[in-house]
Structures are given as structure tokens and as C-alpha cells.
Amino acid sequence: MPVEAFDRMADSLTAALVAGDFKAYRDLMHLPLHIHTRDGTCYDLRDEAALRHDFELYHATIKAHGVTDIFRQILGTTTAGNGDVVIKCLTHILRDATRLVDPFETAFHLHYDALGWRIRRIVSSEGHIAWTLGQTEISGQGQFDDPDTPLNPTSS
């Protein structure tokens, strides 16, 4: 069931981010939401105001780069010790039918609560997370540039 739920969630997540629909985005997230890089750097979005700020940064970045689609290709699933389901996927960010950046691995930890399956944790590359916060760019070679500063969701 979580894989089918994630397929729907991924489509809704993309639609919300591209359109700037915070309510649709909020409905997909379980608070607190934990954002992690694969090397362990993390930050938590503990309330709706923090989630909205993070969303607005991500939407502005997507809009500035002309992103029209984000496709998440499922690579596998596992169950975490706390009952969460972890969906590992290869993420493709597209502008029209062209890749904006090389695909990268992302893991979504889904938690089941009274509202159904929702995202509790996201694990991605440091470059991708810094890009969503408007703290780095994409190189001409289709790679996320290394962020100049440590991840900070409150900076713009």
C-alpha cells in the first residue's frame, strides 16, 4: 500500500511545489518534518510556519529555474524500526522535457497517522537541499554546486 500511496503523494508533491500550493503541500507532511543530507547534516521543521518558509524557498527556486516536473523513480522500499516505510527513489528534476540536473537519490520516510500516509523525513544530497533553500545553483554540467555556507533553512 505505501508504494501506491507514494506514487500519488509524489505527483501531489510535484504539483504543489510547481503551483505554489502550500495547503496541498502541508497535507502531505507530518510535523515535525526532518530534512537530512546523506552525510548527516539535518534540520527540523517543527511547526507550520517553519514548513511554510521552507516551502516558499523551494517554490521560488523551482519557479526561478523554470521547473515543470519532478519525477521520482522508485528504487526500493524498506520498513524502519518505528513502523515508517522508507521509499528510496531516483529524483529527476525537469524543465519541459529536459533534465535540469543529473538525477540524484532521495529517501522519503512515510508515517501512517490519522490522515493516512504522510512524509515524516526526507534524506537527499546536500547540494539538492541547499538548492531548495536558494543557497546554491546548478552548474553548466548539470550538477548542484557545493553550498558556500552550511545549510540554514532561515537564510534566503
Side-chain angles (χ1 to χ4, degrees):
M1 179 65 163
V3 171
E4 293 82 14
F6 181 74
D7 280 337
R8 289 187 302 277
M9 290 173 76
D11 289 344
S12 297
L13 180 60
T14 296
L17 285 166
V18 170
D21 184 347
F22 176 72
K23 182 187 178 321
Y25 183 82
R26 168 63 183 101
D27 290 346
L28 298 168
M29 303 301 170
H30 179 277
L31 292 175
L33 176 65
H34 310 286
I35 309 293
H36 292 258
T37 65
R38 286 190 294 273
D39 71 359
T41 304
C42 64
Y43 65 93
D44 293 338
L45 303 172
R46 298 204 170 277
D47 56 32
E48 192 164 320
L51 183 68
R52 179 180 292 277
H53 179 73
D54 192 76
F55 169 82
E56 289 173 357
L57 291 171
Y58 198 175
H59 172 67
T61 298
I62 283 174
K63 189 173 179 178
H65 287 87
V67 172
T68 55
D69 196 11
I70 302 171
F71 174 70
R72 297 165 188 89
Q73 175 186 356
I74 296 175
L75 300 174
T77 64
T78 57
T79 303
N82 61 3
D84 286 1
V85 173
V86 181
I87 309 283
K88 188 185 288 187
C89 55
L90 193 60
T91 302
H92 305 262
I93 298 178
L94 307 169
R95 178 176 41 221
D96 299 322
T98 304
R99 250 191 226 137
L100 186 62
V101 65
D102 290 343
F104 55 94
E105 202 171 284
T106 309
F108 293 88
H109 293 236
L110 306 183
H111 177 75
Y112 192 82
D113 63 21
L115 299 175
W117 288 102
R118 298 194 301 152
I119 300 167
R120 183 201 310 248
R121 174 175 294 164
I122 300 169
V123 181
S124 193
S125 71
E126 183 175 3
H128 171 246
I129 293 171
W131 181 76
T132 69
L133 297 170
Q135 296 175 352
T136 194
E137 289 296 327
I138 296 172
S139 73
Q141 292 77 37
Q143 301 287 321
F144 293 112
D145 288 336
D146 288 332
D148 293 330
T149 58
L151 294 178
N152 181 356
T154 60
S155 66
S156 50

